[in-house]
Amino acid sequence: MAHEEPSRTAWQRYVPGGRSGSPAMTPVSFVRYRLTLRMTRPARFRFFHGGALMGLLSTALGGHPPEGVGEATWRRVVPVVCEMGRVRFEPGDSYRFGVTLFGDARTLLDPLVRGVRDLGVRRPDPGAPLPTLGGNYVLESVEELPPPDLSAAVEALRSRDHLTLHFVAPLRLKRPRGLERPGAAFVDDECFPAAHFLDRLWRRLFLLVAGRYPDAVEREGALSGLPDEVHVDPSRLLWLDVPIRGRPGADPVRPGGKTPGGVVGTVTLEGPLDAWLETLVLGQYAHAGAAVHYALGRYLVSPPASLDDDPFGPSRTFLEAMLDQEVLDEAASHVLSHTTAAGVDGVTPENFAADTAARLAGLTRTLRGGQYAPAPLLGVITEDVPGKLRPLAVPTIGDRIAQRAAATVLGGSIEALLEDCSYAYRKGFSRSRAAFAIQRAYEEGFRYVLDADISSFFDAVPWDRLFAKLRALFPHEPLVPIVEAWVRAPVRFDGRLFERDRGLPQGAVISPMLANLYLDELDEELLGKDYRLVRYADDFLILCKDLEQARAAREDARRAVEALGLELNLDKTTIASFEQGFSYLGYLFCRSLILQKKKQRPPRELGPDSVPPFSWLAQVRFERIRELLRPRPSESTRPPIDVVPLGGGQPASSGERVPLYIADARTTLHLARETLVVEHPEAETQVIPLRTLSQVTFLGRPRASLALVLRLARLGVPSYFCGATGRLEGTLLPPDPDWQCWLAQAHLIENRDACLAFARSVVAAKLHNAAALLVRSRIPEGRTAAARLRELERSCLDKTTLNALRGIEGSGARAFFAAFGASLSPEWTFSGRRKHPPTDPVNAMLSYGYTLLYNHLSTALITTGLNPRLGLFHRTRGTFHALAADIQEEYRYLVDALVWGKIRRGEVKPHQFRRGTDPRFPCLLDSDLRRTFVEWFESRILQTFTPPGADEPVSYRAHMELQARQIRELAMGRVEAYHPHRVHS
């Protein structure tokens, strides 16, 4: 591509170069180009693309610096990032970047364009991977931009009392001597000396012209003209430092690596700047600070410059991406299937769904045309516990869909900024991962925690700081003012409209994402200390090695929280030790033990202090709140009906995923948006949100649509298909394997000693638990059988092969069921364990119960990331979940006890079973008993017990999840041995 020298004299640019003490002028020329790529394969970026762009340009020119190109010439190549913040590009997407060529660097244009074009379609050589932008695009266009009129820009700024610099790429500039401090080596929102910045900018421009930095005499002349009396307001600057993830073995609690950081946002200069206007205006094109070859340090001066007129804006805004029909359709599907409430306009999900296409078209039209304005929020009061009010502010259905779409397109970009110590509202992060991060810190010697509490966080977030952060991160984005409007929306409650001046509306879809973004600064500040940090929304722990460090952490946390315009509730911020135990996120931590516990808050009397002080509800007279909360005589006081999965389980409203059992062949199930619809000819239709389910078990031959079971799998919900006897016949598992974990399991299986140690402990636990059941139940001959089982338990320690342990297990089972059968009346015709198929009512119930147990354990293993088919004790074969069968041994006594107890109490009778001549099904539970048995089983595993060494009770179902996580830790090499569940003797 040939480049013609522009004919206009406007290409004569000026740069300070004299020794007169004022910025004298020397001509310099530059030319700007904008290049657009079209992606042919997916590409993933960090939040700031400077490194990827540098890799593209240097590789296109043959190296860094390019071969045959002088260092001075290479320094005159200034890349421009256009797509900052966008982290995902798919085939067909455009990718834009710019390049400014000063002086003799213009000769590099043709080889640069050729190199970029060739690199786009190049195949990587073995051992020489391509950069992020390489082999995955075609060069679509190269545009030369019109030369800017610098003289007019300077004149427009002359005699103004202040200027604002918008840093649209991070400025990385070291502080001057005397202003350094630990942890802050660069200028930031607390330190931005104007004279220092102008000095460095002048030196940068001198380098572009002369190919070298000025000598002492040249610099002395320029420094004498620096305006010391200029006032600076850097409060709208934000330090941008992007975490580097994906490193093998990375610790989720420790701070990870970072990309080169700098400040973005705005800084205002006020004072005598006329002599430096040419420098400031030209600096917009040369950039400032260090690492400009990584596209750092780009800024725009205003007035008169406008971000809307910037030719180096992104190829596509987030607002445009949000208005894609596919994005809006998915957002609508999610909102309509996860809510039942209307907003202030009275439009319910059912109303909206009846005319979805037209309503979405109207929403798109107003958003694209700039006429969109969110409706007021609907005020709703809930009581978390009696005496503790939680004021919600709920958007309309249309606004919720818009917010959901915005969160979809912005989510990946904000996710790229967050630290790995933040566990709330993020895909792939959870309470359980936070719990294991805490356990990991304990294993590394952290013995104390500071449990910190931010006062009324969601209601107290300062808007000015939040909005400044959004504008700094997304300077060209028209979606940002819309997000601000969502946050600012007033609340309509009790016939009045309440304006708000701070806070994130609790009930708005966009609020959780913004909360994480706002608190990311807190994470970065505390991770800079010698602590471990775990944060779940506004609830965070700082883990420390000793008590003195924990006390210091309290002060560091107070300062960090106050720097965000928030307040640490010192009365609720406590120090605890692992030795004495503490609770966090529904878990009890005591030394190395983690137990799940229900969050219990004591009720208190409703009073003025029940209202969060910064919330919109604080504007309402308390007596009026009390009056509104008082039940009216004409109203029913019955609580709303919770959706309860068929066959038992906890209500879906509890927040914990629950199992669903379908046992009637006349039942049909199908998918409706993100809900499971259960229909039966003799029962009311049930609608269950898919995301409330932990598993779905089909018992017998219910009918389900293929779309439903595939969607369940994609959401991580396994489906189990059982025959009439309860035997598992097939499974459909989630399609997203954790390869790192599976590989660790495979290595563990190959370790003969590890498998043998695991099998010894599991078989011994099974025998121990069976013996304890015989003794506790006072089964005739039970003590004799228990003694035999304990003898077999002791002999496990001597066995050196898995087959020998299997023999002991079989001997124990025969001894147990001999005593078990002897305690039953003859009408039950039980003469021992018969599995395939069960031949009598007792065996039919045992098989049914073992299958339910096996399914629960499979689910626990799958959700923990383990492959349930890779067994350590049972042989791995086909689709058999050998690992689930492994840990099933320690829990079998639960089913044994359930069946024996129901028989002894007369709650089940032999006539409730169907006997037939078909040899495949000699004895089956009738349909009513199948449903009842599932309810009994679910009720049993939801009962709580206190494991040995623990102070708090935990349900059996939750304990199964803990055991699954323990196996994962064993496979990953984080614990030395597996400790199976053993009942108290």
Side-chain angles (χ1 to χ4, degrees):
M1 170 177 180
H3 168 65
E4 297 181 2
E5 181 73 20
S7 58
R8 291 180 54 189
T9 57
W11 282 106
Q12 297 301 307
R13 300 293 173 250
Y14 300 94
V15 61
R19 304 185 183 189
S20 62
S22 63
M25 300 299 141
T26 300
V28 63
S29 64
F30 66 88
V31 62
R32 299 181 300 161
Y33 284 87
R34 184 171 65 191
L35 290 82
T36 302
L37 314 177
R38 179 169 51 80
M39 306 307 298
T40 57
R41 297 211 315 269
R44 302 294 178 263
F45 295 82
R46 298 193 178 104
F47 189 91
F48 182 63
H49 296 207
L53 186 53
M54 176 61 178
L56 170 68
L57 297 182
S58 60
T59 306
L61 287 171
H64 175 59
E67 186 176 353
V69 177
E71 180 68 26
T73 302
W74 175 239
R75 287 178 174 179
R76 294 186 176 109
V77 177
V78 182
V80 182
V81 166
C82 302
E83 306 285 359
M84 186 176 89
R86 190 172 171 191
V87 297
R88 297 171 60 93
F89 287 80
E90 302 299 336
D93 288 346
S94 294
Y95 184 91
R96 178 185 293 173
F97 68 92
V99 61
T100 304
L101 305 172
F102 281 82
D104 63 350
R106 287 163 26 183
T107 61
L108 298 177
L109 178 63
D110 288 345
L112 178 65
V113 171
R114 284 196 301 271
V116 169
R117 179 181 289 114
D118 294 344
L119 185 59
V121 295
R122 186 186 305 173
R123 297 291 181 185
D125 298 327
L130 291 172
T132 304
L133 286 168
N136 55 0
Y137 67 84
V138 294
L139 178 60
E140 200 165 60
S141 65
V142 180
E143 305 168 79
E144 182 178 350
L145 299 179
D149 190 339
L150 295 185
S151 298
V154 170
E155 289 306 312
L157 295 173
R158 199 170 300 284
S159 301
R160 289 188 175 273
D161 58 356
H162 75 278
L163 301 175
T164 298
L165 308 186
H166 294 261
F167 285 96
V168 293
L171 169 69
R172 188 173 180 86
L173 183 63
K174 284 190 175 181
R175 294 186 179 200
R177 290 181 181 177
L179 294 180
E180 310 100 326
R181 68 176 179 84
F186 300 90
V187 297
D188 55 19
D189 62 340
E190 296 179 348
C191 174
F192 194 99
H196 178 64
F197 170 73
L198 292 171
D199 170 42
R200 291 300 183 271
L201 180 60
W202 181 84
R203 293 179 68 199
R204 161 79 180 145
L205 297 175
F206 191 101
L207 175 69
L208 286 176
V209 174
R212 62 175 177 83
Y213 286 113
D215 60 29
V217 176
E218 292 165 329
R219 190 172 178 225
E220 182 181 355
L223 286 174
S224 64
L226 287 174
D228 293 331
E229 65 273 30
V230 170
H231 174 71
V232 180
D233 178 10
S235 61
R236 291 298 177 264
L237 290 176
L238 169 73
W239 183 266
L240 179 60
D241 217 358
V242 182
I244 298 176
R245 295 192 176 88
R247 295 175 294 114
D251 189 332
V253 187
R254 293 173 174 164
K258 302 282 185 179
T259 57
V263 286
V264 291
T266 61
V267 60
T268 301
L269 308 179
E270 209 173 322
L273 289 166
D274 280 5
W276 288 85
L277 293 182
E278 290 87 355
T279 301
L280 287 167
V281 169
L282 184 57
Q284 296 175 106
Y285 308 99
H287 304 185
V292 293
H293 53 292
Y294 278 91
L296 267 64
R298 180 170 180 254
Y299 67 89
L300 299 175
V301 181
S302 68
S306 169
L307 296 174
D308 295 335
D309 300 328
D310 183 9
F312 291 122
S315 59
R316 190 186 195 207
T317 67
F318 285 105
L319 177 59
E320 291 169 328
M322 165 189 163
L323 295 178
D324 275 355
Q325 193 62 47
E326 184 179 350
V327 174
L328 284 175
D329 286 344
E330 184 177 342
S333 175
H334 184 276
V335 169
L336 295 177
S337 63
H338 283 74
T339 186
T340 58
V344 293
D345 58 359
V347 176
T348 65
E350 292 75 18
N351 300 145
F352 199 101
D355 197 16
T356 301
R359 291 181 185 273
L360 288 183
L363 182 63
T364 302
R365 188 168 52 252
T366 58
L367 283 164
R368 182 169 282 128
Q371 298 89 28
Y372 172 80
L377 304 167
L378 177 65
V380 178
I381 307 175
T382 64
E383 281 190 89
D384 287 347
V385 294
K388 177 71 173 179
L389 298 181
R390 184 179 179 219
L392 302 180
V394 181
T396 63
I397 297 294
D399 289 341
R400 269 175 263 179
I401 291 171
Q403 291 186 27
R404 176 73 186 181
T408 298
V409 298
L410 284 174
S413 301
I414 290 178
E415 172 68 24
L417 298 172
L418 302 181
E419 309 297 326
D420 284 345
C421 64
S422 170
Y423 290 89
Y425 318 129
R426 301 174 65 187
K427 186 177 181 179
F429 291 76
S430 62
R431 285 190 318 120
S432 60
R433 281 194 62 180
F436 276 96
I438 295 169
Q439 184 185 45
R440 178 87 174 269
Y442 173 80
E443 292 168 355
E444 294 182 355
F446 290 80
R447 294 293 184 264
Y448 285 83
V449 297
L450 177 77
D451 188 350
D453 182 83
I454 300 177
S455 296
S456 196
F457 166 74
F458 274 90
D459 296 318
V461 171
W463 285 351
D464 56 347
R465 189 179 181 96
L466 172 65
F467 297 158
K469 186 167 188 174
L470 286 169
R471 294 166 194 157
L473 294 173
F474 306 103
H476 300 91
E477 184 49 55
L479 182 54
V480 168
I482 296 173
V483 173
E484 293 181 11
W486 286 330
V487 174
R488 293 180 186 273
V491 176
R492 185 173 297 282
F493 177 75
D494 194 28
R496 298 171 57 193
L497 194 66
F498 295 95
E499 299 292 339
R500 301 165 44 250
D501 60 5
R502 67 177 76 185
L504 297 171
Q506 297 189 65
V509 177
I510 204 75
S511 292
M513 183 179 72
L514 296 179
N516 268 341
L517 176 65
Y518 193 79
L519 289 175
D520 184 58
E521 292 179 69
L522 174 70
D523 299 342
E524 293 175 351
E525 177 66 22
L526 295 176
L527 287 174
K529 315 288 183 181
D530 188 24
Y531 305 131
R532 299 288 183 267
L533 177 66
V534 173
R535 179 175 64 79
Y536 196 90
D538 58 321
D539 192 0
F540 65 95
L541 289 184
I542 302 177
L543 298 113
C544 307
K545 291 192 172 180
D546 52 48
L547 182 58
E548 182 178 352
Q549 189 183 45
R551 289 170 177 161
R554 180 164 49 194
E555 184 60 23
D556 288 337
R558 183 190 62 78
R559 284 195 297 264
V561 168
E562 289 180 357
L564 293 175
L566 302 167
E567 183 180 344
L568 197 65
N569 189 333
L570 295 178
D571 292 336
K572 294 184 178 180
T573 298
T574 59
I575 294 175
S577 71
F578 280 89
E579 187 67 27
Q580 72 191 62
F582 61 92
S583 296
Y584 182 64
L585 299 181
Y587 293 98
L588 174 67
F589 298 85
C590 186
R591 296 184 289 277
S592 62
L593 186 67
I594 305 176
L595 296 176
Q596 194 162 13
K597 59 173 289 187
K598 291 184 178 179
K599 191 171 185 180
Q600 296 178 340
R601 292 179 179 172
R604 62 181 185 178
E605 185 177 350
L606 188 67
D609 62 343
S610 302
V611 180
F614 300 117
S615 70
W616 60 265
L617 190 59
Q619 302 178 60
V620 182
R621 288 186 307 107
F622 177 70
E623 288 307 316
R624 179 57 178 162
I625 296 174
R626 188 193 296 275
E627 180 183 346
L628 291 171
L629 290 176
R630 186 179 300 123
R632 298 176 184 176
S634 60
E635 294 179 340
S636 170
T637 58
R638 291 188 304 166
I641 299 174
D642 290 322
V643 175
V644 181
L646 299 182
Q650 285 184 322
S653 61
S654 68
E656 182 182 351
R657 289 194 175 204
V658 294
L660 174 66
Y661 297 91
I662 306 297
D664 193 318
R666 295 174 296 170
T667 303
T668 60
L669 295 88
H670 61 87
L671 179 68
R673 296 191 183 274
E674 290 297 295
T675 63
L676 182 153
V677 179
V678 184
E679 296 180 341
H680 189 279
E682 298 178 3
E684 185 178 347
T685 298
Q686 293 196 51
V687 179
I688 304 173
L690 297 182
R691 296 179 187 274
T692 65
L693 299 174
S694 62
Q695 67 180 58
V696 178
T697 299
F698 298 89
L699 300 162
R701 293 289 180 268
R703 290 169 293 173
S705 69
L706 180 61
L708 170 64
V709 292
L710 291 177
R711 183 57 181 157
L712 287 169
R714 283 194 290 268
L715 291 175
V717 182
S719 297
Y720 302 105
F721 302 91
C722 303
T725 64
R727 184 180 182 184
L728 185 66
E729 296 180 346
T731 60
L732 184 61
L733 305 181
D736 188 18
D738 185 340
W739 293 114
Q740 184 180 9
C741 180
W742 288 19
L743 182 61
Q745 282 184 261
H747 289 157
L748 182 62
I749 290 172
E750 294 174 356
N751 186 332
R752 179 182 176 279
D753 292 339
C755 290
L756 191 60
F758 176 88
R760 284 196 194 107
S761 66
V762 167
V763 173
K766 175 184 179 177
L767 297 170
H768 169 88
N769 295 345
L773 173 61
L774 291 173
V775 173
R776 286 182 178 182
S777 303
R778 297 186 175 88
I779 292 177
E781 305 300 326
R783 291 194 174 276
T784 301
R788 172 60 178 157
L789 291 172
R790 292 191 181 108
E791 179 184 345
L792 291 170
E793 178 188 356
R794 289 189 292 271
S795 70
C796 288
L797 299 175
D798 303 328
K799 297 300 177 280
T800 57
T801 67
L802 294 180
N803 279 336
L805 288 168
R806 293 182 184 115
I808 288 180
E809 180 195 21
S811 298
R814 285 189 292 274
F816 172 79
F817 283 115
F820 185 97
S823 69
L824 304 177
S825 63
E827 64 177 336
W828 289 100
T829 65
F830 179 77
S831 59
R833 181 75 178 109
R834 301 288 184 272
K835 304 177 184 179
H836 307 307
T839 55
D840 57 82
V842 176
N843 272 302
M845 287 189 288
L846 290 172
S847 292
Y848 213 73
Y850 292 152
T851 297
L852 300 179
L853 177 61
Y854 172 93
N855 292 349
H856 269 284
L857 292 167
S858 294
T859 300
L861 294 167
I862 292 165
T863 56
T864 311
L866 292 160
N867 187 331
R869 296 173 180 172
L870 301 180
L872 298 171
F873 174 44
H874 289 80
R875 294 184 180 91
T876 297
R877 61 181 189 276
T879 60
F880 175 58
H881 290 188
L883 188 57
D886 286 351
I887 56 175
Q888 185 182 36
E889 303 300 346
E890 61 200 79
Y891 293 106
R892 280 187 185 270
Y893 79 96
L894 293 174
V895 176
D896 301 334
L898 174 65
V899 171
W900 189 82
K902 295 300 180 183
I903 292 174
R904 295 287 291 192
R905 287 190 292 272
E907 296 179 47
V908 60
K909 300 291 186 180
H911 67 77
Q912 293 176 279
F913 296 81
R914 292 189 288 113
R915 298 175 185 270
T917 58
D918 190 334
R920 296 174 301 167
F921 312 116
C923 185
L924 298 173
L925 288 71
D926 68 20
S927 58
D928 290 338
L929 182 56
R930 284 202 300 269
R931 180 184 178 102
T932 301
F933 191 91
V934 169
E935 292 173 348
W936 287 341
F937 175 82
E938 284 295 316
S939 177
R940 181 69 178 98
I941 67 169
L942 288 177
Q943 291 178 4
T944 59
F945 73 105
T946 303
D951 298 324
E952 294 286 335
V954 62
S955 73
Y956 286 99
R957 188 163 76 189
H959 192 265
M960 293 173 194
E961 296 173 4
L962 292 177
Q963 295 299 87
R965 294 182 191 128
Q966 191 187 158
I967 293 179
R968 181 187 175 96
E969 295 297 288
L970 178 68
M972 302 300 286
R974 296 173 185 148
V975 297
E976 295 183 357
Y978 175 75
H979 301 287
H981 167 55
R982 296 169 67 92
V983 300
H984 293 291
S985 299

